[in-house]
Each structure stands twice: as C-alpha cells, then as structure tokens.
Amino acid sequence: MPAKPMPWLWRLSMLKPGSTIGILGGGQLGAMLASAACEMGFKTHIYAPDNNSPAFQRTNLITVAPYEDLDALSRFAASVDVVSYEFENVPIAPLQHIQHTVPIRPGIKALETAQDRLVEKDFLKSCGARLASYAEVNSLEDLQVATQEIGYPCVLKTRRFGYDGKGQIVLREGDDLSQAWSGLKGAPCVLEAFVDFFAETSLIAARAVDGTIAAFEMALNTHKNHILHTTQLPCGLPEDVLSEADKISQEILTRLDYIGVMGIEFFVAKENDTHVLYVNEIAPRVHNSGHWTQDGCLVDQFEQHIRAIAGWPLGAPVRHSNIEMINLIGDDIDQVSGYLDDPRCKVHLYGKAEARLGRKMGHVNHLLA
Ligand code: AMP
C-alpha cells in the first residue's frame, strides 16, 4: 500500500464544492451518481451519445456526442475537474486523448482490464484470486482442445462486450462445438469451467486517493433470465468467506491503483464440505448489486464513488438495516403501486418512458425485519 501523504497536502487535493464532475455514460448509474454529486455540492456534466439518456434529467450540463468524437470529448474534458464513467465499455483510445488534461477516475488501467475477460482473468489470477479454470479460444480447433482440457460442463464467453448472460453459451457433453463457435460469430473467446455454485454474491468496495479502502458487506444475489433480480443483506455466509472476499478485493483495488467504487462478483461453492470462493468478474464502476446501500447505509455506493473521485475521505460502509433490493425489470414496473403503499419500501425509478423486455426501469429497497 502506498505511503499516506501528509494530511494537509492530501486536503489540498480535494475537489471543492461547486467543482464539476464529468461522467461518461447517461444510464441510471450516471443518473444516481449525478444525484449524489449534487447532494454533495458538486455540479455534473454528463456525456452520452443518446439524446434520451436518463441521466440528463439530473445534471447541470450535457454533451450529446459519440465517445469517439475527439473535439466534443476535449471540450467536455476542459469543462470538468475530474472524469468518471458509469459503464465499462467506454472506448479507451479517446480517453487516452484527454487523460493529460483531466484526471480520469477510476483510471484507464481498470477499464482495459475489465473490458477483456482474458486480460481480467489473468489479472485476477495474479492477485491470488481463485478462478474457474479457463483457456483462450480463438478458433474451433482451440475450442476442441480447451473442452478436452477443461471438461464439461463449461461456458464459452466472448472476451468483449458480454453482459447479463449475452455473448456466452453453456456447453455440455455431446453438444455441437462448431455450432457453439459459429453462434458467437467467431469472436475471440475464453472457455471456463462451469462452477457448481450454491450462491452468487458481490462486494462493493471503494478506494480513495490516499489508498484507503472501504468495503460494504458482501451481498447475496439472485438472477432472473441472467439479469440481477434481487440482492439481500445479510448474505448469511460464514465469517471466513467474508474475510477472504475482503482480502482479495483489497488486493484487486490496490494493484489497479484504483480510485472509486468497484463491484466484484463471486461464486460460492461447497467442495468437500468447505466453502470455496471463486471470483467471477469485476465491474470498475458503481454496480446494480450495490443499490441496497442507498437505504441500508448512511453513505451509499454513489456518494462513496463521488467522495473517492473528488479526493474526499471515504464514508463508513456500515449497514444499519437488513434489506433486500428488488430490480424492476420491464413489466415489473406495473407492480410499483404496491411497493409505494408499503411503509418498508423505498422506490427508485429511472425515468425511462417505455418498459421494454429486460430493461431496468427502477428498483425497490425493502427493509426486512
Ligand atoms: P457473467 O456475464 O460472466 O457474469 O455471467 C452471467 C451469469 O452466468 C452469472 O451470473 C452466472 O449465473 C452464470 N455463469 C457465468 N459463468 C459461469 C460459470 N463459470 N459457472 C457457472 N455459472 C456461470
């Protein structure tokens, strides 16, 4: 861990209220980051290619332009005091163009790592994380060899642009490999062993400019149609699993010289009667499975991210209530009146006019007894 700077020096590096935070991406995560920034006295400037971006409802300044538009990006960079992002597929080359004008937090290294599953897995392995066995696959022949080595069942995933189960195929003994390979259109892939987990969990951790790390408690997640459905706290896992997750998260954030909030996803399996923790993937941003912090903690993941990227001290990641977060996806939004009438529920809506299949419309934080 790097040496801590003198407190007075460190204070000088804090962004002052009234400064402007730039956010690349205009979805609900950008919207909630903008709200948190506003509550802390900052202005925000959201940059997104889509005119109808939900985050535009909550920001002072907007730029509508493609991420590759270097002129627009340079003007954006000149108008803000720090740049952050709300999704991990921001193209890297344009960011390199502005990185000497304005701090980008979290940095480009975290983006490069998370954008490519193979780079990510190699990095996680170097941090000492346990991963499902994996192999690089660039051709049908590679896939044949890799399935022999890894065995069935296994999961073939594109290295880039996969999310919510898209860009991946589960392979079982006897499946037609050439069909699977062409199904992913010959994109560079990784093959990984199928983990027979009994729980999927995640941890939201933040690292400040001075290297301090604060992690929220590990959460238990359920999925519906490959999309996060619920997140529950406490997760009910034993202390040794929680402390292993904390330890590996600290290593990941420190090695990336990370500034901001990160979501780290895990599989928990039981092997020989012992809990075994696998890291699935990392998201270098605020994360859907961290929305529970809005109503389960005094300082939530959005404020924590703004604190970190502004050079402020981190808040205490302490949970004050047992809580369940329920995503409102597509038509789930029709159930909102029931939640509005429930005194133990807090409804968060993203302002999207049209409820499409699989579209995240909002979420509910339900306080449990
Ligand atoms: P991912 O996009 O890698 O997070 O995968 C989406 C979902 O697919 C995960 O949340 C798991 O439910 C499932 N999955 C992905 N990889 C594996 C694996 N190696 N073993 C078992 N299930 C997996």
Side-chain angles (χ1 to χ4, degrees):
M1 198 170 288
K4 277 195 177 187
M6 294 291 289
W8 61 269
L9 247 185
W10 180 71
R11 297 271 157 189
L12 281 182
S13 71
M14 287 174 68
L15 280 193
K16 293 192 176 57
S19 306
T20 305
I21 292 180
I23 298 167
L24 296 163
Q28 62 270 12
L29 299 178
M32 290 184 275
L33 282 170
S35 293
C38 178
E39 283 186 20
M40 298 166 76
F42 295 114
K43 298 191 187 78
T44 51
H45 185 164
I46 307 268
Y47 186 116
D50 183 351
N51 239 330
N52 285 321
S53 297
F56 289 168
Q57 299 169 19
R58 307 194 192 182
T59 187
N60 305 83
L61 298 164
I62 63 170
T63 294
V64 182
Y67 296 113
E68 294 79 6
D69 182 338
L70 296 186
D71 289 339
L73 201 60
S74 298
R75 282 195 298 277
F76 166 76
S79 76
V80 301
D81 297 288
V82 62
V83 168
S84 193
Y85 42 85
E86 57 117 49
F87 74 114
E88 58 268 42
N89 285 321
V90 184
I92 303 280
L95 288 188
Q96 284 164 336
H97 184 74
I98 59 164
Q99 69 178 335
H100 300 298
T101 315
V102 65
I104 301 174
R105 295 175 176 165
I108 290 181
K109 192 169 156 194
L111 270 182
E112 283 173 330
T113 307
Q115 284 183 358
D116 183 326
R117 287 190 192 272
L118 185 63
V119 175
E120 178 182 47
K121 284 177 187 300
D122 288 346
F123 166 72
L124 291 170
K125 207 159 117 184
S126 76
C127 294
R130 186 183 292 100
L131 301 175
S133 319
Y134 64 95
E136 181 175 359
V137 170
N138 294 314
S139 64
L140 179 56
E141 295 69 43
D142 284 354
L143 180 59
Q144 284 157 344
V145 174
T147 48
Q148 292 299 314
E149 279 169 8
I150 286 172
Y152 292 98
C154 49
V155 192
L156 183 64
K157 300 182 178 180
T158 57
R159 280 171 63 171
R160 291 179 172 273
F161 302 117
Y163 68 98
D164 289 345
K166 293 189 176 63
Q168 59 179 270
I169 299 177
V170 177
L171 295 173
R172 299 179 197 285
E173 189 89 61
D175 281 354
D176 181 348
L177 294 187
S178 60
Q179 197 182 338
W181 178 243
S182 52
L184 295 182
K185 301 191 171 62
C189 284
V190 286
L191 185 76
E192 62 183 64
F194 189 90
V195 179
D196 187 17
F197 58 77
F198 70 90
E200 288 192 76
T201 64
S202 59
L203 188 143
I204 308 297
R207 186 169 176 274
V209 167
D210 71 346
T212 311
I213 292 177
F216 292 100
E217 205 175 310
M218 183 136 109
L220 181 66
N221 298 320
T222 66
H223 296 80
K224 221 168 140 183
N225 303 322
H226 298 287
I227 303 174
L228 182 71
H229 178 45
T230 64
T231 300
Q232 196 173 319
L233 280 288
C235 70
L237 288 167
E239 197 50 48
D240 57 331
V241 176
L242 306 187
S243 64
E244 190 183 335
D246 257 350
K247 203 164 138 233
I248 190 66
S249 305
Q250 295 216 10
E251 193 67 25
I252 292 168
L253 269 72
T254 305
R255 285 207 193 197
L256 286 173
D257 208 11
Y258 197 83
I259 300 173
V261 160
M262 175 185 280
I264 304 162
E265 297 179 24
F266 300 91
F267 298 140
V268 191
K270 231 179 191 167
E271 295 171 10
N272 301 322
D273 242 13
T274 312
H275 289 100
V276 182
L277 188 70
Y278 292 87
V279 177
N280 174 25
E281 61 180 4
I282 57 174
R285 54 171 169 78
V286 285
H287 196 256
N288 192 169
S289 72
H291 292 358
W292 66 272
T293 59
Q294 289 174 309
D295 302 295
C297 302
L298 279 185
V299 172
D300 68 23
Q301 64 162 349
F302 300 101
E303 175 174 338
Q304 194 75 306
H305 186 73
I306 298 296
R307 283 182 181 230
I309 65 172
W312 287 26
L314 298 178
V318 178
R319 177 172 63 82
H320 56 64
S321 300
N322 292 352
I323 193 162
E324 181 182 36
M325 188 283 308
I326 306 147
N327 261 344
L328 300 175
I329 296 169
D331 290 346
D332 292 349
I333 192 75
D334 297 341
Q335 297 157 24
V336 81
S337 57
Y339 292 121
L340 288 171
D341 287 339
D342 186 333
R344 299 193 68 80
C345 285
K346 165 80 180 176
V347 174
H348 300 259
L349 299 180
Y350 308 149
K352 298 179 185 176
E354 199 191 337
R356 290 196 292 268
L357 188 74
R359 192 175 200 205
K360 290 176 181 167
M361 304 299 293
H363 64 273
V364 176
N365 280 328
H366 175 203
L367 296 185
L368 304 172

